[in-house]
């Protein structure tokens, strides 16, 4: 949501609008997206409760799109890998460019393009998927979290 984007990134309204416009790509059915989150991160609140519940509703809605997979690692689930940092894998790129991984840290955005290094992140993702639920189970966790947060 716009309010969430502004608060999370302490952004100017124009950059928030750009971020929100980029989200429209999620509705392009010629592309596929996968998001893997922990259940715990669903409770992180960068602002008012209403902001978080709106954001959770948005994630649950996106999870119903045919080209978007939302996977949640439930609390208490045995992990098959430790998620040391967040990362994005871009498998399909324009002009047949090689897949890359981006890692955003507080002071920089790292770009990993070496095939062997990209494979490390693919393997990490495959292990994390083993701990995650998707589809209705993921949506149920998101909605349960939203209900719990709304009652705070």
């Amino acid at each position: 949501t716009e309010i969430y984007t502004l608060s999370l990134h302490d952004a100017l309204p124009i950059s928030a609008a750009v971020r929100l416009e980029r989200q429209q790509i999620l509705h392009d059915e010629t592309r596929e997206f996968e998001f893997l989150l922990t259940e715990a991160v669903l409770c992180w609140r960068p602002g008012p409760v209403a902001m978080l519940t709106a954001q959770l509703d948005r994630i649950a809605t996106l999870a119903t799109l045919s080209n978007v997979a939302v996977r949640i690692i439930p609390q208490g689930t045995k992990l098959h890998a430790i998620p040391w940092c967040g990362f994005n894998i871009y498998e399909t790129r324009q002009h047949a460019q090689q897949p890359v991984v981006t890692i955003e840290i507080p002071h920089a955005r790292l770009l990993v393009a070496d095939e062997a290094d990209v494979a490390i992140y693919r393997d990490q993702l495959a292990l994390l998927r083993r701990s995650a639920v998707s589809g209705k189970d993921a949506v149920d966790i998101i909605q349960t979290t939203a209900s719990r947060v709304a009652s705070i």
Side-chain angles (χ1 to χ4, degrees):
T1 63
E2 183 176 5
I3 295 171
Y4 179 83
T5 301
L6 280 169
S7 69
L8 187 61
H9 298 285
D10 195 28
L12 297 172
I14 190 156
S15 62
V18 169
R19 285 185 183 95
L20 290 169
E21 185 178 311
R22 283 193 314 211
Q23 289 183 19
Q24 294 307 310
I25 199 168
L26 297 169
H27 297 279
D28 179 352
E29 293 188 3
T30 65
R31 297 174 179 252
E32 293 182 1
F33 300 91
E34 176 180 6
F35 301 95
L36 194 144
L37 309 164
T38 65
E39 182 177 359
V41 79
L42 296 175
C43 297
W44 293 356
R45 193 165 54 95
V49 168
M51 179 191 306
L52 178 56
T53 56
Q55 187 67 15
L56 292 171
D57 181 62
R58 174 85 171 130
I59 295 168
T61 300
L62 289 173
T64 66
L65 298 177
S66 61
N67 63 321
V68 176
V70 174
R71 301 181 196 287
I72 306 292
I73 299 175
Q75 294 278 75
T77 297
K78 177 184 176 194
L79 290 176
H80 297 279
I82 302 294
W84 296 109
C85 62
F87 58 90
N88 302 303
I89 301 175
Y90 297 92
E91 292 286 359
T92 307
R93 300 178 62 219
Q94 295 178 347
H95 312 297
Q97 293 175 319
Q98 295 284 19
V100 296
V101 175
T102 60
I103 305 150
E104 294 186 20
I105 55 178
H107 73 287
R109 180 175 183 228
L110 307 174
L111 181 70
V112 176
D114 180 78
E115 194 172 315
D117 293 337
V118 170
I120 292 169
Y121 289 93
R122 284 184 181 131
D123 292 344
Q124 176 87 358
L125 179 59
L127 290 170
L128 291 169
R129 280 184 188 130
R130 291 179 54 196
S131 300
V133 298
S134 59
K136 183 180 179 331
D137 292 336
V139 172
D140 287 348
I141 289 172
I142 296 164
Q143 291 173 336
T144 299
T145 302
S147 294
R148 190 173 58 244
V149 167
S151 68
I152 294 176

